[in-house]
C-alpha cells in the first residue's frame, strides 16, 4: 500500500530559519502527533504539505500523488485545518462551505450537512460574526466534508473552550473509525495526543529530533527510585539523576536496561513508574532523548 | 465486556486494556472462542489510538489469553475452568505482594493484615448485595 504521506528531504528556507531537510513516511490509518516548541517548523511543514507554501527543495507525495506546481490533484485528497483559517469574512458560513465544495470533486453535501448538524453551526451567520470556536468548526467542516485521506490539523484546539474542544474531538474520533484517513496533528498540548496519537514526531529548530511510536515511548521511559551505597556513575538509559534524601531518582529512556544495570549493582528498594507523554516530551525537548548522564 | 479507561491511572492505557480484557476472560464473562471487538472498533469506542489496542491484544496473545485468526480478528483462547482459576490466583498473588509488603513495613502483624483483608471482603460483599 502507498504511504499516506511521504516527505523526501523537504526543505524551506527563510531568512532566519530553515525547515528540514525533513524525511517522513506516514502509514495509512495512523494518527501522528507533530510536537515542538513555537518556531520549530510545525506550521511551515503543514503549509507545505497542504500546498500553501512551495518548498525550496525536496518532494512531497500524498497517497502516491506527487505534489507539483502544475498539477494540484494531490490537494484533492487532503483536508487541512490551518492555524489561522483564511475566510471571506463577509460570506455566510453556508456560502463559504458552498464555495469550498467547488475545489473538491469528492465533497459530500449530505456529509457536510451532518457535520454542520453535529457541531450545531449556524450557516446563516456571517463568518466575521462567528466566535473563535465556531470559526474552528467551519474550518473543520471545510476540511472534512470530502472525507480526506490525509487530514492535517494545525493546533485545532488552541484557544478553544473545553466544550468546543470536546465537540471537535468527537468529530475527529467519528472520522477516525474510517481506516482510510491518516492524520497529522500538530499541537503543543500533549494532552491532546495522550489518547489520540499512534506516533509522535518531535520537531526542534526545523529538524526531526525524534520520531517514535507513542506506546514505545510509554513502554520505555521510566522514573526509577532506589537506594545505592556507592556513587552513581554512568548508568544505562539514564538521562537525568536527582538525589532525594538518602535515595536516588533517575529518569531513564530505556527502563529495562536501567533496571537490569541497577540489579547487578545491588541497588535496594527499586521502584519504577511510567511517565506521562507530557513528561517524556519535556525530557526529549530538553535534549534528553539521547543518553547523557548529568549528575547533581 | 465493559472497558473503562482512566487518564488518572498511573497505569498506561495499554496496560489498563490488558487487565480489563484479561479480567473478563478469567472471570468467565468472556467465554472461550468468543470474538473480541475489532481493533479499530475498540479504539474508536474507547477513544484511544489503534496501535495501543493492537499492542494490548498482542500482549494478551503472548499470555495465551486470546488468539488471532487470519483476517478474522481475535478470539478467546480455550482454557479449562481450573486453568482459569490458577491463572487468576497467580496474578492476584503477584498483585498483592506490594501492598502486603508495605503494610508489614508499617509495622502491622500478619494477623492484623488478615483481619484487614477480611473486613475489606465483607464490605465488598455488602455492596454487592
Amino acid at each position: 500500500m502507498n504511504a499516506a504521506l511521504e516527505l523526501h528531504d523537504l526543505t524551506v528556507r527563510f531568512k532566519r530559519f530553515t525547515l528540514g531537510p525533513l524525511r517522513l513516511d506516514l502509514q495509512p490509518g495512523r494518527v501522528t502527533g507533530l510536537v515542538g516548541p513555537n518556531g520549530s517548523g510545525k506550521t511551515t511543514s503543514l503549509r507545505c504539505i497542504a500546498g500553501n507554501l512551495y518548498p525550496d527543495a525536496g518532494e512531497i507525495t500524498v497517497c502516491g500523488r506527487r505534489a507539483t506546481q502544475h498539477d494540484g490533484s494531490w490537494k484533492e485528497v487532503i483536508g487541512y485545518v490551518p492555524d489561522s483559517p483564511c475566510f471571506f469574512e463577509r460570506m455566510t458560513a453556508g456560502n463559504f462551505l458552498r464555495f469550498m465544495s467547488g475545489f473538491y470533486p469528492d465533497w459530500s453535501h449530505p456529509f457536510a450537512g451532518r457535520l454542520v448538524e453535529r457541531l450545531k453551526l449556524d450557516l446563516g451567520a456571517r463568518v466575521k460574526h462567528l466566535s473563535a470556536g465556531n470559526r474552528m468548526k467551519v474550518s473543520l467542516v471545510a476540511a472534512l466534508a470530502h472525507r480526506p485521506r490525509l487530514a492535517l490539523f494545525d493546533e485545532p484546539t488552541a484557544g478553544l473552550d473545553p466544550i468546543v474542544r470536546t465537540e471537535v474531538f468527537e468529530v475527529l474520533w467519528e472520522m477516525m473509525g474510517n481506516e482510510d484517513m491518516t492524520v497529522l496533528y500538530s499541537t503543543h498540548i500533549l494532552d491532546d495526543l495522550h489518547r489520540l496519537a499512534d506516533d509522535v514526531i518531535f520537531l526542534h529548530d526545523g529538524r526531526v529530533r525524534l520520531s517514535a511510536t507513542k506506546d514505545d515511548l510509554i513502554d520505555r521511559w521510566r522514573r526509577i527510585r532506589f537506594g545505592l551505597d556507592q556513587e552513581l556513575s554512568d548508568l544505562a538509559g539514564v538521562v537525568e539523576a536527582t538525589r532525594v534524601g538518602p535515595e536516588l531518582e533517575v529518569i531513564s529512556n530505556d527502563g529495562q536496561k536501567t533496571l537490569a544495570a541497577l540489579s547487578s549493582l545491588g541497588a535496594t528498594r527499586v521502584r519504577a513508574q511510567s511517565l506521562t507523554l507530557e513528561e517524556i516530551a519535556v525530557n526529549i525537548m530538553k535534549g534528553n532523548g539521547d543518553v547523557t548522564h548529568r549528575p547533581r | 465486556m465493559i472497558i473503562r479507561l482512566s487518564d488518572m491511572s498511573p497505569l498506561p492505557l495499554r496496560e489498563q486494556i490488558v487487565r480489563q480484557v484479561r479480567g473478563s476472560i478469567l472471570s468467565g464473562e468472556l467465554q472461550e472462542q468468543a470474538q473480541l471487538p475489532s481493533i479499530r472498533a475498540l479504539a474508536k469506542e474507547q477513544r484511544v489510538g489503534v496501535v495501543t489496542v493492537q499492542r494490548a491484544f498482542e500482549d494478551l496473545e503472548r499470555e495465551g489469553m486470546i488468539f488471532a485468526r487470519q483476517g478474522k480478528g481475535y478470539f478467546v483462547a480455550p482454557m479449562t475452568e481450573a486453568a482459569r482459576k490458577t491463572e487468576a490466583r497467580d496474578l492476584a498473588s503477584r498483585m498483592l505482594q506490594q501492598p502486603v509488603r508495605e503494610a508489614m513495613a508499617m509495622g502491622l502483624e500478619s494477623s492484623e493484615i488478615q483481619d484487614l483483608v477480611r473486613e475489606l471482603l465483607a464490605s465488598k460483599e455488602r455492596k454487592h448485595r
Side-chain angles (χ1 to χ4, degrees), chain A residues 51-79:
Chain A
N52 288 8
L53 184 70
Y54 287 113
D56 293 295
E59 283 172 18
I60 302 171
T61 310
V62 179
C63 303
R65 305 179 187 197
R66 264 288 297 282
T68 60
Q69 297 203 23
H70 47 264
D71 174 13
S73 72
W74 98 90
K75 297 183 192 175
E76 291 168 5
V77 292
I78 293 180

Side-chain angles (χ1 to χ4, degrees), chain B residues 97-109 112-113 116:
Chain B
Q97 273 179 24
Q98 178 73 12
V100 167
R101 211 180 302 135
E102 286 185 28
M104 284 165 71
M106 288 186 289
L108 292 187
E109 303 289 334
E112 290 173 296
I113 297 173
L116 263 178

Side-chain angles (χ1 to χ4, degrees), chain A:
Chain A
M1 212 193 301
N2 274 327
L5 171 68
E6 278 170 276
L7 300 184
H8 190 80
D9 291 340
L10 180 77
T11 310
V12 191
R13 293 187 195 92
F14 297 104
K15 239 183 202 158
R16 287 169 211 282
F17 174 75
T18 302
L19 173 74
L22 287 187
R23 285 188 179 214
L24 218 82
D25 191 339
L26 300 191
Q27 292 311 306
R30 298 195 33 149
V31 179
T32 302
L34 189 59
V35 181
N38 291 325
S40 56
K42 303 189 295 286
T43 295
T44 305
S45 314
L46 294 182
R47 287 185 63 201
C48 276
I49 301 163
N52 288 8
L53 184 70
Y54 287 113
D56 293 295
E59 283 172 18
I60 302 171
T61 310
V62 179
C63 303
R65 305 179 187 197
R66 264 288 297 282
T68 60
Q69 297 203 23
H70 47 264
D71 174 13
S73 72
W74 98 90
K75 297 183 192 175
E76 291 168 5
V77 292
I78 293 180
Y80 177 40
V81 176
D83 61 335
S84 41
C86 172
F87 295 117
F88 296 98
E89 299 281 334
R90 289 174 54 79
M91 270 188 185
T92 62
N95 279 337
F96 175 73
L97 290 177
R98 214 160 297 132
F99 168 74
M100 289 299 285
S101 71
F103 294 96
Y104 298 101
D106 291 334
W107 186 284
S108 158
H109 287 287
F111 184 55
R114 277 213 297 285
L115 289 174
V116 164
E117 210 169 298
R118 277 284 300 270
L119 294 166
K120 299 184 253 6
L121 259 179
D122 174 9
L123 290 183
R126 285 184 201 277
V127 171
K128 66 174 174 184
H129 293 139
L130 293 179
S131 64
N134 281 327
R135 291 168 79 94
M136 171 48 64
K137 290 175 178 179
V138 174
S139 183
L140 201 62
V141 177
L144 297 177
H146 62 292
R147 298 181 193 272
R149 290 169 67 189
L150 175 65
L152 309 171
F153 296 110
D154 198 350
E155 304 205 20
T157 56
L160 297 187
D161 67 60
I163 295 172
V164 179
R165 183 169 173 266
T166 310
E167 286 178 316
V168 167
F169 267 112
E170 278 310 304
V171 168
L172 288 188
W173 281 114
E174 213 49 55
M175 297 287 294
M176 304 290 182
N178 170 6
E179 344 206 342
D180 291 337
M181 193 166 89
T182 307
V183 177
L184 186 57
Y185 186 109
S186 133
T187 184
H188 44 218
I189 306 171
L190 269 299
D191 245 16
D192 283 3
L193 300 179
H194 163 66
R195 278 172 176 252
L196 193 71
D198 295 308
D199 303 290
V200 188
I201 295 170
F202 295 88
L203 271 190
H204 189 265
D205 219 6
R207 307 292 291 267
V208 174
R209 172 159 269 173
L210 184 76
S211 163
T213 297
K214 182 190 70 185
D215 287 79
D216 283 339
L217 292 173
I218 302 277
D219 271 358
R220 294 182 52 170
W221 286 75
R222 287 287 181 273
R223 174 182 292 108
I224 308 171
R225 261 260 192 129
F226 54 91
L228 191 64
D229 55 6
Q230 52 182 301
E231 273 309 299
L232 184 68
S233 55
D234 267 359
L235 192 57
V238 168
V239 297
E240 205 174 277
T242 327
R243 188 158 275 289
V244 187
E247 293 188 317
L248 277 166
E249 183 175 288
V250 299
I251 304 283
S252 165
N253 66 11
D254 194 337
Q256 272 190 347
K257 249 195 202 156
T258 307
L259 287 171
L262 281 173
S263 101
S264 68
L265 281 175
T268 54
R269 288 183 52 75
V270 182
R271 286 101 71 207
Q273 216 182 41
S274 13
L275 269 69
T276 63
L277 191 58
E278 175 108 41
E279 294 171 310
I280 296 170
V282 168
N283 271 289
I284 289 171
M285 286 308 171
K286 277 199 286 192
N288 280 353
D290 333 306
V291 181
T292 47
H293 173 235
R294 295 182 300 161
R296 258 198 262 170

